[in-house]
Amino acid sequence: MPLRRSIALLATLLFSCPLLANQLTPEQQAAKKKGIALYNQYKAMSAEPYLKVAAKAGDREAQYYLGEALRMSNRFMTEEAQKWFIAAADQGDLYAMLRLSRSGSDLCSAMSNCPPDSKTAWDWLKQAREIGKARADAGDSEAMYIMYLGTNDLEWLEKSADAGYAPAQSLLANRYQEGKGFFFPPWKRSERVEELAKKSAEGGDINGIMLYQQFL
């Protein structure tokens, strides 16, 4: 499971980001794929050397995952993890911005060694919201999901789910199960949860698959 300087430059970064992956050599791309697979298998420490290959080559997704792997392996935000989150965020990665907004930028503050021009947690959150909203308004369903993560506004999650983003569908189903949202008559809630779980499962989201199994 987050959540990309002037508006023109940010937009350029956002829409040119797929090119970054294409710049990796086959070996670097294979290392990235292996690293992400290990990370998703909860083998963060094993993933680190593979992710580092692609992260050092400038791949922002690998940089984000490497930051996460280092954070999970050490169970706190290390200086190295923060470095990779910032590298990814500077390339427009919204998930990295969200991570920095929650804990990343606090490390140097605690150690009293923040660079003079370093961003605060609030700076990163504000940037993630501004860029995320621009993308969401343009119809990006994942950006809508990220806007929910950055604002906790259920309406963004509902918009993302309605736009077909599978992770949003499974998360929204869980939120409805927790009692979020209004349904009348009340039994419509369980119908909607099952519908979202099914759509999310069909979209390949692992959380959606696990949730839909309960209905089957």
Side-chain angles (χ1 to χ4, degrees), residues 43-63:
K43 300 175 182 178
M45 191 172 294
S46 298
E48 289 173 22
Y50 295 99
L51 292 170
K52 193 168 290 187
V53 171
K56 286 183 175 180
D59 186 271
R60 72 172 186 179
E61 187 178 23
Q63 290 168 343

Side-chain angles (χ1 to χ4, degrees), residues 18-204:
L19 297 176
L20 295 175
N22 295 335
Q23 292 173 0
L24 295 178
T25 65
E27 293 77 13
Q28 292 166 341
Q29 187 65 41
K32 172 186 172 180
K33 184 177 179 180
K34 176 71 172 179
I36 292 176
L38 287 168
Y39 174 86
N40 288 330
Q41 294 169 13
Y42 305 102
K43 300 175 182 178
M45 191 172 294
S46 298
E48 289 173 22
Y50 295 99
L51 292 170
K52 193 168 290 187
V53 171
K56 286 183 175 180
D59 186 271
R60 72 172 186 179
E61 187 178 23
Q63 290 168 343
Y64 167 77
Y65 274 103
L66 178 56
E68 282 290 271
L70 289 163
R71 186 182 66 85
M72 293 182 67
S73 296
N74 292 278
R75 300 186 179 182
F76 69 96
M77 178 70 75
T78 65
E79 186 176 358
E80 185 180 8
Q82 184 185 32
K83 178 190 75 173
W84 289 113
F85 282 128
I86 291 175
D90 282 344
Q91 291 196 75
D93 191 286
L94 296 175
Y95 292 106
M97 292 179 199
L98 288 179
R99 177 60 68 195
L100 289 165
S101 77
R102 290 167 181 164
S103 59
S105 60
D106 294 337
L107 179 64
C108 67
S109 297
M111 299 178 66
S112 300
N113 63 353
C114 292
D117 59 346
S118 63
K119 292 185 175 70
T120 65
W122 168 246
D123 290 334
W124 285 118
L125 180 59
K126 182 180 178 183
Q127 186 171 330
R129 287 176 175 176
E130 289 175 350
I131 299 171
K133 188 174 187 306
R135 289 177 55 186
D137 288 345
D140 187 325
S141 59
E142 184 178 9
M144 297 172 193
Y145 174 76
I146 293 172
M147 284 300 296
Y148 168 72
L149 299 179
T151 65
N152 206 32
D153 183 345
L154 192 68
E155 185 177 351
W156 281 115
L157 189 59
E158 291 172 330
K159 287 180 178 180
S160 181
D162 289 342
Y165 189 56
Q169 291 166 337
S170 62
L171 183 56
L172 182 58
N174 281 312
R175 293 294 177 265
Y176 284 158
Q177 282 187 321
E178 295 167 355
K180 298 287 197 305
F182 175 77
F183 290 87
F184 185 83
W187 49 264
K188 286 287 187 181
R189 180 182 296 274
S190 60
E191 286 187 358
R192 181 58 173 156
V193 169
E194 181 176 0
E195 177 189 8
L196 286 166
K198 183 175 186 294
K199 288 181 177 180
S200 180
E202 291 172 344

